[in-house]
Amino acid sequence: MCYSYNYNIVHLKCELNSKPLSGVDRDFHNDDSCVYVEVDRYKRDPSYDTCIGNRCKEGEVCERLKNGRLFCVKDSCENNKVTNVSNVAFGKTTQADDEHSGHPSSNAVDDDNNTYVHTYTRNSPYWLVDLGGSHVIEKIDLLNTNFEGYRLHDLDISVGNAMYNMTVCAHYDGPGTDGEHLVFNVEGKAFGRYVKLNIVGTGQLQFAEVKVFCYLKEATVC
C-alpha cells in the first residue's frame, strides 16, 4: 500500500513513498496500479510533506532524491517546461593535484578533445571542478586521451557540496584504452557543487575531457 506523494520535477513523475505521520490511510489507494491524487492541498502539510521543515524560499518546493538528500526547485507553472540537460562543467574553475606543466586542470573543461590533463606520479592524484552551485547530476562523461590510455585506472568519481565532504558515486576499474569514451550514469545518486576524480592508489591521472550533465531547473511542469 502506498501512502504519500513526492512529485519529482527532475524526472517529471510522481513517486509514492511512506505512510503519513498521522497514520491516516484513507486518502491514498492502490489496487492494481497506483492512483495519483491532486497534491496541492497536501503541500506544507506535515502529515504528508516529506520535506517539511526545509529551508526553501517562497515560490520553491522541496524535492527528495533517492539517497534521502533534499533540494529546492522553483514552483512555477508559468513556462510549463523544464530546461534541457546541459553540461554545467564547461569553463568552470578547476584544480588538480601536482599537475604537469603545460597540461593544466582547465584543459578538461575547455571542450577541446585535443588538450588533456596530466599529473605527475603520486599517491591518489586528483582533479576537481567547481560547478558554481549545487546541481542534481544525471551523468558524467569522461574522454580518455588518444595515447597512454592505460594510465586511467582505479578511478573514483565523487560529488559533494564541500571539498572535504564528498561521496563516491561511480568507480572505474580500468585500465582505460586510447580515446575511450566513458559514461557514468549517476541519476538519483549525485547532488552537489563539486565533482572530483581521483586514482585510488599510486599513478598518473590523465584524461582529455570531463562533462557533467544536469537538468537546469528554472521552471516546473504542472
Side-chain angles (χ1 to χ4, degrees):
M1 181 70 71
C2 297
Y3 291 93
S4 70
Y5 83 91
N6 184 38
Y7 180 60
N8 191 322
I9 292 177
V10 175
H11 303 296
L12 311 182
K13 65 182 180 181
C14 289
E15 299 170 341
L16 299 180
N17 302 309
S18 58
K19 189 174 182 179
L21 298 177
S22 65
V24 177
D25 60 6
R26 63 176 178 272
D27 296 305
F28 296 87
H29 304 281
N30 180 27
D31 296 319
D32 294 333
S33 60
C34 294
V35 177
Y36 295 98
V37 299
E38 175 58 51
V39 300
D40 285 345
R41 71 186 182 91
Y42 295 101
K43 289 182 179 179
R44 309 299 180 188
D45 184 339
S47 297
Y48 300 97
D49 194 337
T50 58
C51 296
I52 200 69
N54 66 80
R55 298 181 180 179
C56 295
K57 301 175 183 177
E58 185 69 26
E60 294 181 336
V61 292
C62 177
E63 298 295 334
R64 184 185 296 274
L65 295 176
K66 294 177 183 178
N67 62 7
R69 285 187 153 184
L70 309 179
F71 64 99
C72 298
V73 294
K74 292 184 179 180
D75 186 22
S76 170
C77 301
E78 296 177 358
N79 297 322
N80 291 323
K81 66 179 180 180
V82 172
T83 53
N84 294 327
V85 177
S86 299
N87 173 25
V88 295
F90 174 69
K92 294 296 173 48
T93 301
T94 60
Q95 68 181 59
D97 186 25
D98 198 16
E99 61 190 44
H100 197 285
S101 177
H103 305 292
S105 60
S106 58
N107 281 354
V109 292
D110 61 1
D111 202 26
D112 184 350
N113 297 341
N114 295 313
T115 64
Y116 61 96
V117 175
H118 182 197
T119 72
Y120 288 97
T121 301
R122 59 166 299 141
N123 184 46
S124 194
Y126 75 86
W127 175 92
L128 181 140
V129 60
D130 180 355
L131 302 177
S134 296
H135 295 274
V136 179
I137 299 171
E138 293 294 300
K139 67 176 181 175
I140 297 171
D141 282 19
L142 177 61
L143 182 66
N144 205 350
T145 54
N146 289 322
F147 61 96
E148 297 176 327
Y150 61 86
R151 288 179 172 172
L152 195 63
H153 61 88
D154 301 305
L155 183 73
D156 273 353
I157 299 179
S158 306
V159 176
N161 276 318
M163 288 185 283
Y164 55 83
N165 185 19
M166 305 184 75
T167 301
V168 176
C169 61
H171 179 80
Y172 174 68
D173 289 329
T177 59
D178 293 356
E180 186 176 16
H181 179 202
L182 302 170
V183 179
F184 301 94
N185 293 305
V186 294
E187 175 184 333
K189 296 187 296 183
F191 175 69
R193 173 172 176 168
Y194 300 96
V195 175
K196 179 181 178 181
L197 280 62
N198 71 277
I199 289 179
V200 180
T202 301
Q204 298 179 27
L205 183 55
Q206 177 179 299
F207 57 91
E209 198 76 15
V210 170
K211 296 182 180 180
V212 180
F213 291 97
C214 309
Y215 279 107
L216 301 183
K217 306 171 294 302
E218 296 181 351
T220 67
V221 173
C222 305

